[in-house]
Amino acid sequence: MTEAILLFTFSPVQSFIAEARRAADLNTGSQILVELAKAAAESIGKERLIYPALDEHGELPQDIPNKLVAKVPFEECEKIAKNTRKALLSHWNKEYLENGTLKDGIAKAARKAFEAKLRKHTEKIPDFDIGIWNRQTADDYLWEIYWSAALLPDKDHYKEAYAEAEAALNATKFTRVFHQFEEKGFKDTLSGKREALHAENQNGREYWFQVGKVEQITPIKIRPSVGDDIETGRPRERLDAIGVVKRFHPEPSKKGIDPFHGFPSTSSIASLTFLESAKKHGRSELDRHHKAVANLLQHDEKFEIRDDDQWQYDGDLLYPETLRPNRMKSDYGEAYSSESNLNAAMETLNKLFNALQGKREELRKKGDPFYTEIFTRPSPYYAIIKLDGDSMGKCLHSLDEQGHREFSKKLSEFAAKVKVLAADPQYHACIIYNGGDDVLAMASLSKAVEFAKEMAVQFKETMKEWKATASAGIVITHHLSPLNNALREVGEAEKLAKEIDREKSKVYVTVLRRSGEKLQMVSKWEQINNFAVFVKYFETDELAAKLPYDIARASFALSKTDKMSAEELKQMDEMSAAEIRRLVKRHSSSKVKDTDKQQRANALSEWAKTMPRQIEELANWLSLIRFVSQGGKS
């Protein structure tokens, strides 16, 4: 029987994940994509897959990309593709068989879970217009499904067949037919473009105001509505069908990241480093604050989001600004804003901060170098990381079938390594999407750059047979800043890391300070090996906080231009190195040896030479290093 290469894919992916107002939305979106991709792969047949590779037990990997490559009988290509499409859509919103049991599709299960919550409410909430739901979850509304196939006459023509199938798939995407749907009234707050669900005799604002009052729905699902009167009050969130699926789909909530029941909030990620420090160095004070928070929340189990006896709650309750009447009413509801209980929680939190500050100062005076590992307050900043393999398409087009299978296997190995890295306590990272050569993750401020670098190192090592590398974008942002803005920025940062020059294998960092200031920088991976070391220098005051400012000031006179001759460029390098040496010496502690000052200055000079904007960009990197050393306070 003649064989063929079948390519099957579906979209949207990035935009579907990015429609989010909280970290859990991102994770649920990625989990839905994985479930749909697995349904498609199962339909094609695991034994036919070339990409992704199966694990050592012959099973699909835990995380699976949205693009599948398989070798199938040529005469059955169309039938297989149509059945695969049907399987994916059934998994989305119909019914499907799993181990002999008929299960509801993703959207259908989410709708049932949402409606079950509403039925428990004491006041009757009208059913939403099912017509809106049916339109927004219809087969032709959200998902765009594409496939192509190319004849494979024999194994020696694999490259040609794959290239032909790839070209056909791309052509199909460009000629796709758009279905237009009218979206009236109030729009949802996740995408901002689709009609929010509502009852036939209500508008979206009125309906979601009522939903936001349902006590059985926690703030993790829907933020509480503001006010008591439907005429003057307002909902904090409105959801369309897709939003309800993301918030109420029951399966992803069972796949929490240890010790969380689900996916941690941005506040929980930002405060991870502090919490670990508090557990180790302020245990009794943390225990008292934990009890005060439990009392504040009236020991309501719906707010216990972690399996952790020392701290069961969201990380936002480790920030003083949360423990204010307006914030508690806004985020937790009227019942949890008792003034006396808030004052008690604020008092225990301040005592925790003071205890950690005292412990840090005690170790510092003793000359213990580990005093810098005591974090006295939670950082208000965290990081989003987007890592992507460089020139993957070009590499795939050079492979034969066996090479493609080996390549797929190595990508699966890398995905498994990423999971292990994220679980390592030293990184405090959480994976949102892990598609082999494409990773989206969150990490604490203090560990983000090191975690991204280690992922890139592991990718290069795993894919060394093909000399493949990876680039990354990192966005550092405030834990209360809009998530969708940070997602746009991290996508742009990842693109810039690849586009600055042909070498790729870079990291591009954007710092979004809440004041509105944006700081951007780029570097080759191998040049940031000293990042953590220089963070330590600032933490221990071996380097003064003013160093980045003075280097930035010097950069105005030492910037290079395209009009300079080779001799002028050489002289500029020498002048920059001399100025860096002078400033490092000037801003180094008297305890630092002259030889160490020289070594550090040389390291910074060499680093600057590798950057597009050289000394100006070095100043930005040093500003970031100082920012990390201060926990995002400056």
Side-chain angles (χ1 to χ4, degrees), residues 301-365:
E301 292 182 359
K302 69 183 178 184
F303 296 113
E304 296 176 3
I305 64 167
R306 311 161 52 112
D307 292 320
D308 185 341
D309 291 338
Q310 290 181 264
W311 186 257
Q312 297 171 299
Y313 303 107
D314 195 289
D316 65 344
L317 292 161
L318 295 169
Y319 293 88
E321 57 266 32
T322 304
L323 302 175
R324 309 283 189 219
N326 288 340
R327 271 288 301 277
M328 288 300 295
K329 288 178 183 178
S330 169
D331 294 353
Y332 286 86
E334 294 279 351
Y336 309 102
S337 56
S338 162
E339 185 174 348
S340 60
N341 288 342
L342 276 171
N343 290 338
M346 182 68 80
E347 183 179 352
T348 56
L349 183 58
N350 284 328
K351 286 182 177 179
L352 174 60
F353 292 161
N354 292 336
L356 291 171
Q357 182 63 49
K359 183 69 173 179
R360 180 183 171 102
E361 187 63 19
E362 178 187 337
L363 293 184
R364 188 189 68 79
K365 288 180 178 179

Side-chain angles (χ1 to χ4, degrees), residues 359-464:
K359 183 69 173 179
R360 180 183 171 102
E361 187 63 19
E362 178 187 337
L363 293 184
R364 188 189 68 79
K365 288 180 178 179
K366 289 180 179 178
D368 190 328
F370 293 105
Y371 80 89
T372 59
E373 295 183 6
I374 299 178
F375 293 83
T376 60
R377 281 177 174 258
S379 171
Y381 288 84
Y382 72 100
I384 301 179
I385 304 163
K386 190 175 190 299
L387 182 128
D388 190 54
D390 297 323
S391 304
M392 290 290 100
K394 182 179 179 181
C395 188
L396 285 173
H397 281 280
S398 68
L399 303 177
D400 59 16
E401 181 181 341
Q402 185 56 35
H404 199 159
R405 290 184 183 277
E406 288 299 319
F407 192 87
S408 301
K409 188 179 296 184
K410 288 296 182 180
L411 283 179
S412 294
E413 285 183 21
F414 171 68
K417 289 179 180 179
V418 166
K419 185 178 179 182
V420 173
L421 278 176
D424 190 327
Q426 71 170 310
Y427 291 121
H428 299 297
C430 297
I431 302 300
I432 298 167
Y433 182 76
N434 186 7
D437 69 318
D438 185 9
V439 180
L440 184 64
M442 290 183 174
S444 61
L445 171 66
S446 62
K447 303 296 183 180
V449 173
E450 292 299 302
F451 175 65
K453 184 188 73 174
E454 187 58 30
M455 282 199 295
V457 168
Q458 292 291 341
F459 186 87
K460 186 176 182 179
E461 174 62 25
T462 306
M463 309 302 291
K464 61 185 177 182

Side-chain angles (χ1 to χ4, degrees), residues 536-544 584 587-589 592 600:
K536 191 69 68 177
Y537 295 156
F538 280 106
E539 286 178 338
T540 57
D541 296 323
E542 289 185 37
L543 284 175
V584 168
H587 291 297
S588 291
S589 167
V592 180
R600 295 171 189 181

Side-chain angles (χ1 to χ4, degrees), residues 50 72 146 181 192 232 247 309 443 478 481 514 536 561 566-567 571 629:
I50 296 173
V72 302
Y146 312 101
F181 297 91
T232 58
R247 293 285 173 84
D309 291 338
H478 196 277
S481 293
R514 214 177 186 202
K536 191 69 68 177
T561 68
E567 184 62 28
Q571 290 177 356
S629 74

Side-chain angles (χ1 to χ4, degrees), residues 164-202:
E164 182 182 342
E166 181 80 13
L169 187 69
N170 291 333
T172 302
K173 290 181 179 180
F174 282 117
T175 58
R176 64 185 183 270
V177 176
F178 286 94
H179 297 277
Q180 291 190 337
F181 297 91
E182 186 178 6
E183 297 290 345
K184 302 178 181 179
F186 288 92
K187 301 300 185 288
D188 71 293
T189 48
L190 262 63
S191 75
K193 60 187 179 184
R194 292 188 290 267
E195 182 180 8
L197 293 173
H198 61 84
E200 290 187 10
N201 60 342
Q202 284 183 314

Side-chain angles (χ1 to χ4, degrees), residues 102-143:
L102 193 64
K103 297 188 67 175
D104 288 330
I106 292 168
K108 191 174 182 180
R111 193 187 85 197
K112 286 184 177 179
F114 175 59
E115 291 173 337
K117 292 283 186 183
L118 297 185
R119 282 196 293 271
K120 292 180 181 179
H121 193 47
T122 54
E123 296 180 17
K124 173 66 175 175
I125 294 179
D127 296 333
F128 59 75
D129 184 351
I130 195 64
I132 303 173
W133 179 275
N134 290 339
R135 182 182 76 248
Q136 294 178 346
T137 59
D139 290 354
D140 58 349
Y141 182 87
L142 178 65
W143 304 114

Side-chain angles (χ1 to χ4, degrees), residues 85 97 109 119 123 152-153 221 226 236 246 293 296 331-332 349 370 378 454 462 471 491 500-501 521 536 547 624:
R85 180 182 188 276
L97 278 173
R119 282 196 293 271
E123 296 180 17
L152 179 63
K221 300 293 186 184
V226 176
R236 297 298 299 277
K246 285 188 175 184
V293 168
L296 172 66
D331 294 353
Y332 286 86
L349 183 58
F370 293 105
E454 187 58 30
T462 306
S471 295
I500 285 177
D501 60 44
M521 63 223 78
K536 191 69 68 177
L547 176 62
L624 170 62

Side-chain angles (χ1 to χ4, degrees), residues 485-525:
N485 183 45
L487 291 168
R488 284 195 300 270
E489 290 285 352
V490 79
E492 184 64 22
E494 183 262 326
K495 289 179 184 177
L496 289 170
K498 292 172 178 284
E499 292 175 357
I500 285 177
D501 60 44
R502 294 180 180 179
E503 293 183 29
K504 298 185 180 180
S505 189
K506 287 184 171 66
V507 56
Y508 193 102
V509 183
T510 298
V511 182
L512 302 174
R513 288 185 171 138
R514 214 177 186 202
S515 60
E517 179 186 0
K518 183 187 289 189
L519 190 68
Q520 295 177 301
M521 63 223 78
V522 66
S523 176
K524 294 180 179 178
W525 286 115

